Amino acid sequence: MGKHERGWVEATEKLTARLANGAEPDADLGDRGRLDLAESLAERLRSDFPRLTAVRHAGNSYDSLGDLIVETPGGETFVEAKFVASGGTRANLGQDTLTQFELFEGATAWSDFREEIGFPEDREALLREFDDYPDDVRDWSYKSAVYDRAKHLKNVLDVSRGQHTGSRADEVLADPDATEPQREAARIINAILDLDREEKLAYFDHLRDAEQNPRNVETFAHLIVCGYHTADALEAHFDDDLDEIKRLIETNSYRLYEVNRNSGTVTVENPSELLAGFEWADTRVEIPEDGTSVSVVTGPPDDRRRVLNIAYNWKNKFQGIQTPSMNVFVPEA
């Protein structure tokens, strides 16, 4: 989260605490934060905790889980507040997250692995096979050359918004009326998609041979379910006492509140419900023989349960081209 965004978020959190406590909104906080979102969240907290005696802002550090602390006669509940543009409390993390946080010990990062096996050069060679680029994207000397060529190939195929690029390529190849440039663009796109899949499977073979750190895998899983979905947030809490995080979840003392920035609607995820029944025995990353996703699983051999699904993905253009990342989904996603 950027410094500017963190500023208005903290102001809104503090406004929420004041409103939930029945105080008038502070003028300075009102100027720096979003009063409308604070009102929505404060109202939801009062509804969910009818016996609340106070709401405290946890401060602008990462010293504890949660942004707000709700006090009731029964104890404290830690609340992580997220202000989002759309629904879905899920993580989109950097491509090297699993090695960055040493879920795999001594393994090569995905970004480095691609360089080592020559993926960028193989991808460029395929893109160079197209003969009909316009003059403004023929120069290979600038940084966005690969992205611009991939975008042009998509334009040649007339890929519609939301349409899977590979599916459109297959349609073109099956169309007897497709032009030769369209067929060539479709062939190259499919070749890059195949190259990307082969590279991911090779990387999974590499990860399969690496030692895993079960404690780090378990910590990662708990923090994701608790709503810590950025590298900064994970790093700030990765050394927290895992047993204390578990205690908060198991005693129903931690909640994740998501406030839609556009509508002001508030939804709640309760990690204790998401993780109900998990035994946390032999927690590890499970790597399939075929596929481009891995999973965090736990439990005894006769009752293995899936905690997270993690897809290795490219966010822009199409697979193998731009913005490699990891999409992480919690059990009910």
Side-chain angles (χ1 to χ4, degrees):
M1 184 183 298
K3 182 177 179 181
H4 173 73
E5 182 175 3
R6 184 66 228 173
W8 78 258
V9 167
E10 283 183 8
T12 304
E13 292 164 357
K14 291 177 180 178
L15 277 170
T16 299
R18 289 185 62 86
L19 295 172
N21 289 326
E24 291 296 319
D26 178 273
D28 177 61
L29 292 176
D31 290 338
R32 292 189 290 115
R34 288 279 303 269
L35 180 60
D36 57 332
L37 302 184
E39 289 173 338
S40 295
L41 181 53
E43 181 179 355
R44 180 61 184 265
L45 290 175
R46 288 194 299 266
S47 174
D48 289 352
F49 299 92
R51 301 178 65 207
L52 75 80
T53 57
V55 176
R56 308 195 318 269
H57 185 250
N60 57 6
S61 69
Y62 287 105
D63 292 337
S64 64
L65 288 178
D67 306 301
L68 300 167
I69 302 170
V70 179
E71 298 179 4
T72 67
E76 295 180 336
T77 299
F78 292 80
V79 169
E80 175 74 7
K82 287 192 170 295
F83 302 93
V84 300
S86 59
T89 309
R90 302 296 178 256
N92 194 308
L93 292 167
Q95 59 178 318
D96 297 332
T97 299
L98 298 190
T99 49
Q100 176 186 350
F101 291 97
E102 297 185 336
L103 279 67
F104 294 90
E105 296 182 331
T108 302
W110 186 27
S111 57
D112 293 333
F113 183 84
R114 291 197 308 274
E115 295 288 338
E116 289 177 4
I117 67 172
F119 175 82
E121 293 81 5
D122 293 341
R123 177 183 59 184
E124 180 177 324
L126 287 169
L127 288 169
R128 285 181 178 275
E129 292 179 6
F130 190 74
D131 294 326
D132 200 24
Y133 289 117
D135 291 340
D136 60 346
V137 294
R138 286 187 177 276
D139 183 4
W140 282 92
S141 64
Y142 59 95
K143 186 175 181 180
S144 64
V146 166
Y147 313 148
D148 290 347
R149 278 155 183 73
K151 180 179 179 180
H152 179 73
L153 295 184
K154 287 185 68 174
N155 290 339
V156 170
L157 298 191
D158 193 23
V159 179
S160 60
R161 186 175 181 83
Q163 185 179 25
H164 185 273
T165 304
S167 297
R168 176 56 184 157
D170 291 340
E171 288 178 0
V172 167
L173 292 173
D175 182 0
D177 296 326
T179 66
E180 191 55 37
Q182 286 177 323
R183 290 181 178 279
E184 184 68 358
R187 182 192 65 78
I188 292 170
I189 284 174
N190 276 344
I192 292 174
L193 295 176
D194 289 342
L195 180 69
D196 168 68
R197 180 177 175 80
E198 291 170 3
E199 176 272 321
K200 286 173 181 170
L201 293 177
Y203 185 59
F204 286 179
D205 285 340
H206 168 70
L207 291 181
R208 198 176 287 110
D209 291 336
E211 290 292 327
Q212 295 189 30
N213 185 317
R215 190 73 169 180
N216 286 356
V217 175
E218 197 171 335
T219 299
F220 175 78
H222 277 80
L223 290 177
I224 290 292
V225 172
C226 284
Y228 295 96
H229 295 165
T230 67
D232 287 345
L234 286 172
E235 185 171 2
H237 289 289
F238 215 79
D239 292 331
D240 287 0
D241 185 342
L242 178 57
D243 292 332
E244 174 62 12
I245 295 174
K246 287 183 175 182
R247 185 195 67 78
L248 290 175
I249 293 174
E250 291 166 358
T251 59
N252 201 26
S253 299
Y254 180 90
R255 305 280 181 87
L256 175 61
Y257 281 71
E258 188 175 86
V259 186
N260 188 291
R261 292 194 300 228
N262 299 315
S263 65
T265 56
V266 182
T267 57
V268 184
E269 280 193 351
N270 190 338
S272 66
E273 296 174 358
L274 290 173
L275 299 179
F278 284 75
E279 297 187 30
W280 302 110
D282 189 26
T283 305
R284 60 185 296 100
V285 179
E286 186 176 74
I287 304 171
E289 292 296 332
D290 189 28
T292 56
S293 298
V294 300
S295 301
V296 173
V297 298
T298 193
D302 59 344
D303 188 26
R304 302 295 278 164
R305 298 188 60 185
R306 196 178 307 274
V307 186
L308 300 174
N309 295 322
I310 305 169
Y312 281 69
N313 188 41
W314 299 73
K315 292 194 291 186
N316 300 108
K317 305 301 185 290
F318 52 87
Q319 295 301 300
I321 295 297
Q322 188 175 7
T323 323
S325 64
M326 285 177 18
N327 296 111
V328 186
F329 306 92
V330 297
E332 295 184 349

